[in-house]
Amino acid sequence: MMTSQSISRQPAPKRRSHWASRAWSGLVVGLMTFFLINVGLMIASVATNSVAKRWLGTWLPNGWTLEWYSAAWQEFQLGDVLLVTVQVVLSVVVLSILIGVPAAYTLARRNFRGKKLLTGLFLLPLMIPPITYGIPLATLMYELHLAGTLPGVIIANLLPALPFVILVMTPFIEQIDPNLESAARVFGARTFTMFRHVLVPLLAPGILAASLLVLVRTIAMFELTFLTAGADTQTLVVALYYSVFAAGVRASQSIDAMAMVYMIVTLIWLLIAMRFVSPTQLVSRVKEHPQK
């Protein structure tokens, strides 16, 4: 029989574990809150400065204006820059899906010699910094006279985008029962017909998720675009870099206005993408095995 003293001592480890868990949770929440507050304050500072007439040594600007956005639009030729950005993003998304989905299907359905090596080569751009292979890539682009052209920028951004598609699409394809493909072939469907009418509808969530990842990656890709773009083929992130570090004197409000344009464009792309794909679709479903 347990004594009253042993009973009173028994909950102590549980209490210590409970307090340790609460302390860890509080630490994590505090760090996340501190990070979010700092990010919010930085964005608020840039947004405020982009509409400030003059802001020196005071909590709030002396006046408000939208003239800096007009000045940034004209000075940095944002109309042309946005057009190039849209062309690059859409081209990379479409090409990466057209190439990456069949490649992911091959990796998911076929077993062949060197499959692991090929998979590693596909995923290599994800595991190493872009600048390490960006300089040799830019050198090759200049030798092929593709550097400074729109196709060259698209190819440079396509290189790291394909692994995202392959990485996302392979689990989605593995979830689909191969018997569906076999049934379609039994009824006379050719490979393209089977792929179009059977696989694509089932893979739609994965394709949308991969497109979202490629879209975000391409908008934010700086290194490869910077190394291969010319004066007329800069995307918005590269143009923003030049506006900050190029020679000459520029008003900080004008640069912050351009930064806000970049952030707004990125958010618009994300909102449009999230309208068609849910974040939960980025997580693969558990594959159901048939009961024997």
Side-chain angles (χ1 to χ4, degrees):
M1 181 178 297
M2 299 179 62
T3 62
S4 59
Q5 185 178 3
S6 62
I7 294 177
S8 61
R9 291 178 180 177
Q10 186 176 1
K14 293 184 178 180
R15 289 199 301 268
R16 288 195 296 267
S17 176
H18 176 70
W19 282 106
S21 177
R22 293 187 61 180
W24 174 253
S25 300
L27 178 62
V28 171
V29 172
L31 290 175
M32 292 178 61
T33 304
F34 177 77
F35 173 77
L36 293 176
I37 290 176
N38 276 272
V39 172
L41 289 176
M42 286 188 292
I43 295 176
S45 175
V46 173
T48 303
N49 195 42
S50 67
V51 294
K53 287 185 176 180
R54 189 171 179 228
W55 192 13
L56 294 172
T58 58
W59 284 100
L60 291 175
N62 297 329
W64 309 91
T65 180
L66 295 176
E67 294 179 357
W68 298 115
Y69 286 88
S70 176
W73 190 276
Q74 297 176 1
E75 180 181 0
F76 304 120
Q77 299 178 348
L78 289 184
D80 297 334
V81 172
L82 289 175
L83 179 60
V84 171
T85 303
V86 171
Q87 291 175 337
V88 171
V89 169
L90 292 181
S91 299
V92 171
V93 169
V94 172
L95 290 175
S96 61
I97 293 297
L98 292 178
I99 300 174
V101 173
Y105 178 82
T106 302
L107 293 176
R109 287 287 190 261
R110 302 287 187 267
N111 290 320
F112 51 88
R113 184 177 299 178
K115 178 180 177 180
K116 293 183 179 180
L117 177 61
L118 183 61
T119 304
L121 290 176
F122 274 131
L123 300 180
L124 193 60
L126 292 178
M127 298 183 290
I128 60 178
I131 195 66
T132 57
Y133 61 88
I135 296 177
L137 177 64
T139 302
L140 179 61
M141 289 284 187
Y142 278 101
E143 292 180 356
L144 297 176
H145 302 287
L146 288 173
T149 65
L150 188 62
V153 176
I154 293 173
I155 293 174
N157 283 273
L158 185 63
L159 185 61
L162 280 174
F164 276 102
V165 178
I166 296 173
L167 189 65
V168 172
M169 292 306 303
T170 300
F172 275 89
I173 295 173
E174 290 176 345
Q175 295 168 15
I176 298 175
D177 191 350
N179 293 327
L180 296 175
E181 304 170 33
S182 301
R185 295 184 185 277
V186 167
F187 284 100
R190 296 183 178 181
T191 302
F192 179 77
T193 304
M194 181 271 298
F195 201 86
R196 177 183 176 185
H197 295 284
V198 178
L199 288 180
V200 170
L202 296 174
L203 293 176
I207 293 175
L208 290 173
S211 300
L212 174 61
L213 291 176
V214 171
L215 183 147
V216 175
R217 173 83 176 186
T218 305
I219 292 177
M221 175 54 65
F222 170 75
E223 296 93 336
L224 299 180
T225 307
F226 174 76
L227 293 173
T228 57
D232 299 328
T233 55
Q234 297 176 6
T235 58
L236 192 54
V237 64
V238 175
L240 178 60
Y241 170 83
Y242 277 118
S243 68
V244 176
F245 295 100
V249 179
R250 291 178 174 85
S252 61
Q253 293 93 332
S254 180
I255 297 176
D256 286 343
M258 187 175 180
M260 289 302 300
V261 171
Y262 173 73
M263 186 179 68
I264 292 172
V265 169
T266 305
L267 289 177
I268 290 175
W269 277 101
L270 284 176
L271 291 176
I272 294 174
M274 299 295 287
R275 175 64 178 81
F276 299 100
V277 59
S278 171
T280 57
Q281 292 175 347
L282 298 175
V283 182
S284 301
R285 294 171 298 176
V286 178
K287 183 177 180 182
E288 297 181 358
H289 298 276
Q291 296 181 354
K292 297 182 179 179

